[in-house]
Every structure is written in structure tokens, then in C-alpha cells.
């Protein structure tokens, strides 16, 4: 093991650098920045909740600041991105398609059970035949036969069939319309692809482990498999081999029992952090499904930030609020914002801003928080900020004064 030890704050700096969250953007965003951000993360998780901006768009804002949301949609239409299952449903760089096709062919992407297909084969095959004969479809193409209004928990059979073929890799998503998936055959989307071109499973797992470490900057062994939801035993075996061959380097992180793992690229950042050459100066808001924090165990171990998304809890059991945005400030997760965008009114409502215990309230913090919230509201096209409450209460007046001026 190289003689390199990081403090936990230094390890955070390495992680933030890898995720492009260490410093403010150095230039106004352009379309290529959207693609490079997703390539750095490895996956941009998709979620449909739009209390504020939907998660993939907000994750990009967290890194890029003001940018055109349409660029993400355009990159998908241009086939520079594709949709598939990674950590969860995600936008992925098209150059990584061969790895995910291999995982699909090996049955390592969750799919509907064979028993479900057997029970519903006639309907499921009918949907695929419809696409073959008629071209791309949306779920709305098929009327619901039982007269019910569909919910996430109660999809009509055609929607389930589309998801079945999507997970099987037989259909892909050429674009979205009002964030609703459009589906078409893989053969029409990628006519030159041949499954025999998919890399071996060993090569696939190694490549995705390397991408994970580069995306995280530094990782504990127990964090690696979760990032792309890879089989733990395969990852453990692969990581051992990569350490033995020198493709992965072990370092020490104070306060953590497991060794830190870095690629040679990450080792350079770790050395820089250990010598005081990395400095965090970014204040931003993160969506609940951001790559930096989607692993709650990792978030707690690295940032000492105990974060739970409360969307799925009954209101009586919520501690902070419905849709909580963690607040990143100068290398620390210092609080969480309970926000709601009222689009028709042009109002960005901050129902509450909770700071972590011990966070010092000073002018620098207030100014950074206010500017970040205001920037987010402008980008979101809800420019009026309405601040309802803060915890602690002493933060309310100086912060609210910023929005009233």
C-alpha cells in the first residue's frame, strides 16, 4: 500500500473533484458540458418527481449552473446518450452501451421474471409486434382497457410490456416527449450493433469498476458494487485482481476501517488533496438522486450527513419535508432545503432550510446560500423566492433580506 493517508475532509475533496462539484463553473455552460458531466458521473439517474426540476436536470444544474435543459434531450435524440438501468434508470454515455448490453445478455440487469412473461406472453409479444409493424410508440399509444387511470403502481399491461422489452434490451428510447418515453426497436436505433461485439463479462466488470472509482474519486470496497448495481461477488473478485495488477491503488482514510481505493488518475487527486492543493469553493443544491449522495451509507460515512429522502414516507413520519435538497457548501453537506417550485406563479418556495448542528452562520454562508437559491430559482424560471422558515431561526432574517432587496 502506498504511504498515503487522507483525512476525511481531504477524501471529500477528491470525491467532489471527481464529480465536478469542487469549484464553481469556470465558464458559461455549453452543450458539450452536459455530455462531459454525465461521462464524469458515469450515469445520470432519472426520476420523474418534479416538485422542483426533475432530478437529472437538477443534477446538471448543480454542476454547470445555468444551462439549457433541452441540451439533455437533444443529446439523447442525437444518440450520444442512451437510457438503460445502471444504479437505477439512467442516462448513460453511448460509448458504454457495449458494457450494458453484456450485462443484459448475462441476465445481470433486473428483468421481469420469466413466469410473468409466460403468463402474459400474448399481450407482451403483441406490443413488440406493433412496434415492428408501426414504428415507435409511447405508453399512451395504447388505451387502457379497464378504464382506470394508471399510476406508477398500477401500470396497464402495455406499459409493463414496454418496460419488459426495454429491460430485455429489445427496445430503446430514441427521445422523450414531455418527459414521457418514446420506444423503438433496438435494431432501428443501433442498426450496426451486433451482440457478438459485446465485450466479455470480465472486461465489462473491470471497466465499470474503473468507471466507478473515477466517478467517486476515492471509494471504500463496500461502495463499489452499488454505484452501477453490479454483483457484489464479481466486483470483489475483480477489485482484488485490479489491486494485484496495480490498476487500483489502496490508500488510507483516517476514521474509516476499510482502505480507500483509487485509480492512478484518482491517486493524483489524492496526492494533491494531501498536500493542500485542492480547495472547495462551490455552494450548490443537490437533488435526492444525485450520484454524489444516492448511496446513503456512503454519504454518511464520507460526509457525516445522515440523509433520507422522505417522499415515500407518510406526512406524519417526515422529519424535514417532502422533497429535500442537500446543500453543499465548501466541501461539506451543511443542510437540506425543503423546496417547491410554483411554475405558473413564477415562485420558488423555500418551505424550510435546515442547517446541520454546529454549522456557523456568518455573512459568507448567508451570501453563498442566498446566491445559490436565487441562481436556482432563475434557472428554473421561478425567479421570485419565497422563504417561509429556517432552522435555526436566526438564519431567517439575514437570508430573507437578500431576497427582499
Amino acid at each position: 500500500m502506498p504511504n498515503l493517508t487522507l483525512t476525511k475532509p481531504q477524501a471529500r475533496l477528491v470525491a467532489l473533484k471527481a464529480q465536478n462539484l469542487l469549484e464553481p463553473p469556470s465558464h458559461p455552460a455549453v452543450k458539450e458540458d452536459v455530455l462531459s458531466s454525465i461521462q464524469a458521473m458515469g450515469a445520470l439517474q432519472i426520476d420523474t418527481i418534479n416538485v422542483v426540476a426533475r432530478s437529472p436536470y437538477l443534477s446538471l444544474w448543480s454542476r454547470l449552473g445555468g444551462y439549457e435543459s433541452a441540451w439533455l434531450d437533444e443529446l439523447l435524440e442525437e444518440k450520444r446518450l442512451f437510457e438503460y438501468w445502471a444504479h437505477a434508470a439512467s442516462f448513460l454515455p453511448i460509448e458504454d452501451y457495449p458494457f450494458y448490453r453484456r450485462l443484459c445478455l448475462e441476465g445481470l440487469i433486473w428483468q421481469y421474471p420469466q413466469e410473468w412473461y409466460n403468463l402474459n406472453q400474448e399481450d407482451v409479444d403483441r406490443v413488440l409486434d406493433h412496434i415492428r409493424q408501426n414504428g415507435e410508440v409511447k405508453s399512451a399509444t395504447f388505451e387502457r382497457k379497464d378504464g382506470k387511470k394508471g399510476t406508477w403502481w398500477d401500470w396497464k399491461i402495455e406499459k409493463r410490456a414496454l418496460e419488459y422489452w426495454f429491460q430485455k434490451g429489445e427496445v430503446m428510447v430514441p427521445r422523450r416527449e414531455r418527459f414521457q418515453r418514446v420506444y423503438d426497436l433496438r435494431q432501428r436505433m443501433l442498426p450496426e450493433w451486433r451482440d457478438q461485439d459485446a465485450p466479455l463479462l470480465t472486461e465489462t466488470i473491470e471497466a465499470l469498476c474503473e468507471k466507478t472509482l473515477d466517478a467517486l474519486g476515492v471509494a471504500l470496497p463496500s461502495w463499489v458494487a452499488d454505484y452501477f448495481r453490479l454483483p457484489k461477488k464479481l466486483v470483489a473478485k475483480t477489485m482484488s485482481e485490479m489491486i494485484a495488477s496495480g490498476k487500483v491503488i489502496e490508500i488510507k482514510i483516517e476514521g474509516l476501517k476499510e482502505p480507500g481505493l483509487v485509480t492512478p488518475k484518482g491517486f493524483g487527486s489524492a496526492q494533491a488533496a494531501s498536500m493542500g492543493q485542492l480547495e472547495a469553493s462551490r455552494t450548490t443544491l443537490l437533488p435526492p438522486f444525485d450520484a454524489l449522495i444516492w448511496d446513503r451509507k456512503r454519504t454518511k460515512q464520507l460526509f457525516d450527513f445522515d440523509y433520507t429522502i422522505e417522499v415515500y414516507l407518510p406526512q406524519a413520519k417526515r422529519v424535514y419535508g417532502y422533497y429535500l435538497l442537500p446543500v453543499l457548501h465548501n466541501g461539506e453537506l451543511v443542510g437540506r432545503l425543503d423546496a417547491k417550485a410554483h411554475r405558473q406563479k413564477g415562485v420558488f418556495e423555500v418551505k424550510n432550510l435546515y442547517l446541520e448542528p454546529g454549522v456557523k452562520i456568518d455573512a459568507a454562508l448567508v451570501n453563498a446560500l442566498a446566491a445559490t437559491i436565487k441562481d436556482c430559482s432563475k434557472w428554473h424560471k421561478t425567479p421570485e423566492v419565497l422563504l417561509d422558515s429556517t432552522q435555526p431561526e436566526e438564519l431567517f432574517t439575514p437570508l430573507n433580506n437578500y431576497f427582499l432587496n
Side-chain angles (χ1 to χ4, degrees):
M1 179 185 296
N3 186 24
L4 180 62
T5 298
L6 298 182
T7 64
K8 195 182 288 188
Q10 289 170 341
R12 293 172 191 152
L13 295 176
V14 176
L16 293 171
K17 179 176 174 58
Q19 290 274 324
N20 291 328
L21 288 166
L22 189 64
E23 302 168 329
S26 59
H27 59 271
V30 297
K31 187 173 174 178
E32 290 301 312
D33 294 325
V34 172
L35 181 60
S36 62
S37 292
I38 298 171
Q39 290 169 330
M41 288 184 278
L44 179 64
Q45 185 170 334
I46 300 169
D47 189 80
T48 60
I49 298 172
N50 64 344
V51 175
V52 189
R54 288 187 172 95
S55 184
Y57 300 101
L58 189 54
S59 276
L60 291 169
W61 173 85
S62 300
R63 290 156 176 78
L64 302 176
Y67 77 101
E68 293 293 334
S69 299
W71 291 339
L72 177 60
D73 307 311
E74 291 170 7
L75 288 166
L76 180 64
E77 291 188 46
E78 293 165 6
K79 300 180 185 178
R80 301 172 77 187
L81 298 173
F82 73 104
E83 284 193 37
Y84 201 52
W85 289 88
H87 179 82
S90 302
F91 293 110
L92 302 161
I94 193 63
E95 60 267 24
D96 291 347
Y97 176 81
F99 302 128
Y100 289 93
R101 186 58 181 160
R102 170 52 65 196
L103 294 178
C104 177
L105 292 170
E106 297 288 340
L108 296 178
I109 300 291
W110 182 88
Q111 298 173 359
Y112 279 80
Q114 184 64 36
E115 294 79 4
W116 180 87
Y117 173 75
N118 294 340
L119 288 171
N120 297 280
Q121 182 174 356
E122 182 177 350
D123 284 328
V124 175
D125 289 350
R126 172 176 54 83
V127 169
L128 190 61
D129 287 339
H130 179 94
I131 301 173
R132 287 196 185 105
Q133 296 172 20
N134 300 285
E136 59 187 33
V137 300
K138 296 184 291 186
S139 174
T141 302
F142 306 96
E143 293 186 7
R144 186 159 186 143
K145 298 175 182 178
D146 57 14
K148 295 180 181 179
K149 184 178 180 181
T151 68
W152 195 90
W153 302 103
D154 187 23
W155 283 344
K156 58 190 174 186
I157 186 61
E158 290 86 358
K159 172 61 175 174
R160 293 184 183 275
L162 290 169
E163 290 301 304
Y164 173 83
W165 292 120
F166 175 72
Q167 291 167 341
K168 294 285 284 186
E170 296 306 311
V171 301
M172 298 180 71
V173 179
R175 68 182 186 281
R176 283 175 174 256
E177 294 180 359
R178 302 185 68 178
F179 209 67
Q180 300 301 306
R181 280 176 174 161
V182 175
Y183 301 84
D184 202 355
L185 294 181
R186 169 173 51 87
Q187 291 85 349
R188 284 199 282 261
M189 287 278 295
L190 300 175
E192 297 181 0
W193 172 258
R194 300 292 181 269
D195 280 346
Q196 57 263 35
D197 296 332
L200 298 173
L201 181 59
T202 52
E203 296 170 348
T204 294
I205 298 298
E206 180 173 319
L208 291 176
C209 284
E210 183 178 3
K211 286 178 179 292
T212 295
L213 295 183
D214 281 339
L216 292 176
V218 59
L220 302 189
S222 58
W223 298 349
V224 178
D226 177 79
Y227 198 79
F228 291 122
R229 296 280 166 84
L230 299 173
K232 292 182 179 179
K233 289 184 179 180
L234 279 178
V235 167
K237 179 176 182 295
T238 300
M239 295 305 298
S240 294
E241 293 169 351
M242 294 177 76
I243 291 168
S245 68
K247 293 179 180 178
V248 170
I249 302 166
E250 291 183 315
I251 63 173
K252 181 175 176 56
I253 303 174
E254 292 178 357
L256 298 178
K257 296 180 180 179
E258 297 179 87
L261 304 177
V262 295
T263 63
K265 175 183 175 182
F267 187 72
S269 294
Q271 285 182 310
S274 71
M275 294 185 288
Q277 296 174 355
L278 296 185
E279 183 178 351
S281 55
R282 183 86 167 110
T283 301
T284 195
L285 308 175
L286 301 171
F289 307 102
D290 191 271
L292 184 73
I293 57 168
W294 66 35
D295 182 343
R296 310 309 186 202
K297 178 182 176 182
R298 165 163 53 91
T299 303
K300 188 171 183 178
Q301 287 180 305
L302 185 58
F303 286 93
D304 299 316
F305 188 73
D306 193 358
Y307 177 61
T308 301
I309 181 172
E310 301 185 17
V311 165
Y312 308 112
L313 296 177
Q315 185 171 353
K317 293 187 176 181
R318 291 177 194 145
V319 177
Y320 296 104
Y322 179 74
Y323 197 71
L324 302 169
L325 309 179
V327 180
L328 177 70
H329 175 66
N330 294 349
E332 304 285 345
L333 292 172
V334 299
R336 58 204 85 201
L337 193 79
D338 181 13
K340 179 177 176 61
H342 302 273
R343 294 170 181 83
Q344 292 184 349
K345 297 179 180 179
V347 173
F348 189 89
E349 181 184 7
V350 178
K351 295 183 177 182
N352 217 323
L353 172 56
Y354 303 88
L355 292 183
E356 290 291 279
V359 172
K360 180 183 177 183
I361 300 174
D362 56 21
L365 175 66
V366 171
N367 290 337
L369 291 174
T372 297
I373 293 169
K374 193 65 177 176
D375 285 348
C376 186
S377 71
K378 288 180 179 178
W379 168 76
H380 197 276
K381 297 181 173 61
T382 49
E384 181 184 346
V385 177
L386 176 62
L387 180 63
D388 296 339
S389 182
T390 65
Q391 301 293 332
E393 294 180 1
E394 65 188 273
L395 176 63
F396 181 85
T397 297
L399 188 59
N400 197 48
N401 285 343
Y402 186 102
F403 302 130
L404 294 177
N405 293 334

